[in-house]
Amino acid sequence: MSQYRSPSLSPPPLKRRRISQLPPTSDSPTPQTSTTSPLTSPPVNTFRILSWNINGIDAFLPARPHNQKAITTFFPPSKAPDSAPPSHNGSHKTRTQRPSLRACLLRWGWPHIVCLQEVKIARSDTRTQDLVRRIANRSTCSDFLEHGSSDDEDIDSGEHGREEGGERDSRLEYDTYFSLPLDPHNARGAHGNGRIYGVCTLVRRDLCPLAESNDDNPSRKPATTTQPVDWDLEGRVLVTVPSTPPPTTTQSRNPLAVFNIYAVNGSPRPYRDPQTGSLAGDRHAYKRRFHALLADSVRAYQRRGYSVVVAGDMNISRSAMDSYPALRTGAEHVTNRADFEARFMEKEGGLGMGDCFRVVRGERRKYTFWPRGREWGTGMDRVDLMLCSGDVVGRDGGEGDEEGSVPGRRGLGGWRLVDADILDTSEERGPSDHVPLYIDLSCVGTEGFQSEERTR
């Protein structure tokens, strides 16, 4: 089994020295700037997981923070243009076009699980958390906060969340979960406001059937669970265990655990003891400690019989083909990358996970980090990854599939990787500096994953 290796590592650089452009080759990047076609909905019995470093949720929220007046309140009101579209109650409202999380979910074919990183919400800001829960299931408009509406009057789902006849389709709605920072020394945010880091997982509600009420579950809690890990104080990890339908054949299937990860970006900045605030090394050392703790958590699930997906911004470029125009080659970055490879990718002593994009797409050059403030396509990195445990890509207990081949046999745990890609266009980047990526897994012997073709 081949593994892609490089002597260096490349998290997204704060600044990168410009070097001459690489000569065009068949492996040169091919930046896309045109609009993308929507993803087709996953076929029946296929499970879609999508990951995106959103670089702050604010752009998707109603137009202004709840504690700040809109700048337009300082000017005389102007008459709405005659061409302003009427609202659903017939009145005309002037609205600022803002990105719609709901529209993204539609364009992505209604993924079963969506892993968002770097949402930048303070742990104490429950109002913003509630807004995120709602914009996942509604379209948003700029005057929501101004009018103080709390229901469908100013946040409506349009056509995206309704069946014919106007009935809501709960399969197209999402439950929203957060892990937000509580470390007072290392995750303070600007001016100590706590708006830094943070991950958010959206789980489609058809994965959350109410468990039968019994003595062990008197409250009928959702069978799907999403929760943080106890060692993470910076809001970087959420683990979702979806309640997938039981097999309808005699072939067994492992339960699935999906890790949503915003990994530490190694740097010489100081890291402080979360309890005492005393200096405890730098962020490079803490990054490697994060690797170790995460690998232990993944291994614990595997030992309990789970197939595991690790999805998110890992702040690692695995090889030279994952950065353009060049990798960073500083000693600490080399060490960080080697640590990541040893813990997650190596079979001997490590987890032996498969890099899903490389398994499906081989040596194709596509990237996930597209920094703002520079010309599109002049500097980018593949630092967002989706990793699957060896049983999902057929590597457990044998040679398995080589990276770059289309997965040719069903994973030994009942899950099989069937597709993986990066949506590398300026449209998909949106207000972020990263683009989304996704995987599709087929699930053996089940009739539980529905196609959404009829809803599109």
Side-chain angles (χ1 to χ4, degrees):
M1 175 187 68
S2 64
Q3 292 284 348
Y4 287 101
R5 299 188 176 94
S6 171
S8 54
L9 166 150
S10 177
L14 298 178
K15 294 182 180 179
R16 174 177 287 172
R17 178 175 59 85
R18 292 184 64 86
I19 65 174
S20 59
Q21 296 290 320
L22 296 176
T25 70
S26 60
D27 291 331
S28 293
T30 55
Q32 303 293 315
T33 57
S34 60
T35 58
T36 56
S37 300
L39 289 175
T40 58
S41 296
V44 175
N45 299 341
T46 301
F47 190 86
R48 176 166 295 165
I49 305 169
L50 184 138
S51 176
W52 188 24
N53 180 323
I54 202 169
N55 192 28
I57 196 68
D58 278 0
F60 292 86
L61 298 179
R64 60 182 173 84
H66 66 275
N67 61 349
Q68 176 181 331
K69 289 186 177 181
I71 192 171
T72 53
T73 64
F74 296 96
F75 300 95
S78 60
K79 184 179 179 181
D82 293 338
S83 59
S87 66
H88 67 278
N89 61 8
S91 64
H92 288 261
K93 298 180 181 180
T94 301
R95 302 190 177 192
T96 302
Q97 186 71 25
R98 297 176 69 81
S100 166
L101 183 57
R102 187 69 178 170
C104 290
L105 296 171
L106 170 65
R107 189 170 67 247
W108 299 331
W110 306 112
H112 296 88
I113 294 179
V114 177
C115 301
L116 302 177
Q117 301 89 40
E118 212 173 352
V119 292
K120 299 181 181 178
I121 303 173
R123 191 178 185 88
S124 60
D125 187 359
T126 56
R127 185 160 194 232
T128 294
Q129 294 169 46
D130 288 341
L131 282 172
V132 176
R133 291 184 178 98
R134 299 173 65 188
I135 65 173
N137 297 311
R138 306 281 200 281
S139 299
T140 183
C141 69
S142 62
D143 57 355
F144 168 67
L145 291 176
E146 180 178 347
H147 293 289
S149 173
S150 60
D151 223 320
D152 286 13
E153 179 181 356
D154 288 306
I155 293 185
D156 64 83
S157 61
E159 64 181 359
H160 300 329
R162 298 184 182 275
E163 298 260 31
E164 293 183 7
E167 294 299 321
R168 299 192 63 79
D169 184 354
S170 62
R171 290 181 306 145
L172 301 184
E173 293 185 345
Y174 290 79
D175 288 317
T176 305
Y177 304 88
F178 298 93
S179 177
L180 303 173
L182 50 79
D183 188 324
H185 302 290
N186 299 291
R188 291 174 49 81
H191 311 294
N193 62 12
R195 298 179 63 207
I196 191 171
Y197 310 145
V199 293
C200 170
T201 299
L202 309 180
V203 182
R204 230 174 65 183
R205 285 183 179 167
D206 56 334
L207 296 183
C208 301
L210 288 177
E212 290 298 324
S213 179
N214 53 48
D215 292 341
D216 295 328
N217 190 17
S219 60
R220 292 174 57 86
K221 293 181 179 179
T224 289
T225 62
T226 300
Q227 57 191 6
V229 292
D230 56 8
W231 52 264
D232 169 37
L233 302 180
E234 294 191 358
R236 295 182 176 277
V237 183
L238 274 175
V239 185
T240 298
V241 176
S243 175
T244 56
T248 57
T249 70
T250 57
Q251 184 171 352
S252 63
R253 184 180 70 247
N254 292 348
L256 186 69
V258 179
F259 282 68
N260 180 1
I261 303 297
Y262 179 45
V264 176
N265 190 13
S267 80
R269 291 193 300 115
Y271 176 78
R272 300 189 177 277
D273 183 284
Q275 305 301 323
T276 66
S278 60
L279 187 64
D282 63 16
R283 302 291 286 184
H284 284 301
Y286 182 59
K287 180 178 182 65
R288 295 189 288 271
R289 181 184 172 199
F290 181 91
H291 287 168
L293 292 168
L294 177 60
D296 287 346
S297 293
V298 171
R299 185 174 288 107
Y301 273 90
Q302 289 180 330
R303 286 173 175 168
R304 291 160 54 196
Y306 284 80
S307 298
V308 178
V309 174
V310 176
D313 182 354
M314 301 303 296
N315 272 310
I316 288 285
S317 286
R318 294 191 58 212
S319 73
M321 73 177 68
D322 296 317
S323 287
Y324 184 85
L327 283 164
R328 296 167 77 187
T329 56
E332 289 283 4
H333 301 311
V334 172
T335 301
N336 291 346
R337 177 190 176 278
D339 183 72
F340 175 84
E341 293 290 319
R343 294 186 184 279
F344 292 94
M345 311 310 298
E346 298 293 341
K347 289 187 67 175
E348 297 297 327
L351 294 169
M353 304 193 83
D355 181 341
C356 297
F357 178 79
R358 287 281 170 244
V359 168
V360 176
R361 304 291 171 176
E363 297 186 1
R364 185 171 182 182
R365 291 194 176 216
K366 298 184 82 170
Y367 308 93
T368 62
F369 177 66
W370 296 76
R372 309 193 78 86
R374 62 184 303 171
E375 184 180 353
W376 178 268
T378 59
M380 49 275 194
D381 302 273
R382 189 177 73 98
V383 297
D384 304 81
L385 304 174
M386 302 189 80
L387 311 177
C388 283
S389 52
D391 60 287
V392 178
V393 291
R395 292 181 181 161
D396 207 10
E399 283 299 307
D401 298 331
E402 292 294 316
E403 287 189 345
S405 64
V406 176
R409 62 189 178 93
R410 191 170 300 283
L412 304 180
W415 299 91
R416 179 170 64 97
L417 176 67
V418 294
D419 195 16
D421 209 351
I422 296 168
L423 308 180
D424 58 342
T425 69
S426 55
E427 179 191 25
E428 290 291 355
R429 182 180 67 172
S432 179
D433 51 4
H434 292 243
V435 297
L437 63 160
Y438 74 93
I439 61 172
D440 285 347
L441 305 177
S442 70
C443 184
V444 303
T446 180
E447 299 174 355
F449 296 134
Q450 300 289 326
S451 170
E452 300 300 340
E453 292 295 339
R454 64 188 183 89
T455 68
R456 295 179 60 80

